[in-house]
Amino acid sequence: VKSLVQNHQSNVKKLKRSFSAQSEEAMTYVKDEYVSVLQTIGSEIEDKNKEIAKTKSKSKSLQQRLEEERDNSNKLKMHLDTVLSVAKEGEVSVKNKIEKLTESFEKTVTSLKTKLLEAEKSANAEREDLRRQIFELRKGLLKRRAQ
């Protein structure tokens, strides 16, 4: 009986050592995987932030261009007003040309406004998509942690 008990105790000690080594190995593996996932997510977030910065830069550039066009349009309107006053004095053909220029100008301004709105919508959509992707990455990380 003593021999069986000692043999049993010896087997228990061996199992404990084996389990401890396997547990340590598993923890090291989990830690390495966790660090790898965090590094991957970090680099993906950096990439997305760079994309957001580019989009913001494009949006800012379009905004500046629109402001320049507004300034140009105001100058053009003042010039057209002067020409219009001359046309009212008797130059009907000049008046018709001015109206055509005004329409063309207004179409250009409308087109620029539309392009700016589209760029802003695109930038907002990209930002939202990036936010969603980051959320999904975090959710995936949490799932991996839970496993």
Side-chain angles (χ1 to χ4, degrees):
V1 172
K2 253 185 185 179
S3 173
L4 284 174
V5 169
Q6 288 175 346
N7 191 19
H8 176 70
Q9 288 175 342
S10 174
N11 286 340
V12 167
K13 285 179 184 177
K14 287 178 187 175
L15 283 173
K16 281 183 179 179
R17 274 184 265 155
S18 174
F19 177 76
S20 177
Q22 288 175 355
S23 175
E24 204 172 303
E25 197 176 297
M27 288 302 286
T28 301
Y29 174 77
V30 168
K31 178 184 166 194
D32 291 347
E33 283 298 309
Y34 179 75
V35 168
S36 173
V37 167
L38 286 179
Q39 288 172 341
T40 302
I41 289 173
S43 66
E44 287 178 7
I45 287 172
E46 284 179 29
D47 292 346
K48 296 304 177 183
N49 284 338
K50 287 177 186 174
E51 288 179 30
I52 288 171
K54 286 180 186 177
T55 303
K56 283 182 180 178
S57 176
K58 286 179 186 176
S59 178
K60 202 178 253 188
S61 173
L62 286 172
Q63 182 68 33
Q64 288 174 342
R65 187 171 167 200
L66 178 63
E67 288 173 11
E68 289 171 3
E69 289 299 325
R70 283 182 185 155
D71 290 344
N72 290 339
S73 72
N74 287 336
K75 290 176 187 175
L76 183 60
K77 273 193 173 191
M78 290 188 324
H79 180 71
L80 289 176
D81 287 343
T82 303
V83 173
L84 188 59
S85 68
V86 170
K88 284 182 181 178
E89 293 174 2
E91 292 290 329
V92 174
S93 65
V94 172
K95 184 177 180 181
N96 289 337
K97 289 179 183 177
I98 290 171
E99 289 174 358
K100 288 179 183 176
L101 286 173
T102 302
E103 288 174 12
S104 173
F105 165 74
E106 289 173 354
K107 287 178 183 177
T108 302
V109 169
T110 302
S111 173
L112 287 172
K113 285 181 182 179
T114 302
K115 288 178 183 177
L116 176 63
L117 287 173
E118 289 172 359
E120 288 174 348
K121 284 179 185 177
S122 174
N124 288 337
E126 283 185 38
R127 276 189 224 114
E128 196 57 43
D129 185 50
L130 290 172
R131 285 188 187 119
R132 183 192 53 73
Q133 289 178 15
I134 289 170
F135 173 76
E136 292 298 326
L137 287 172
R138 287 181 179 157
K139 193 165 86 175
L141 177 61
L142 290 175
K143 283 184 180 178
R144 284 188 181 176
R145 283 185 193 166
Q147 291 175 353

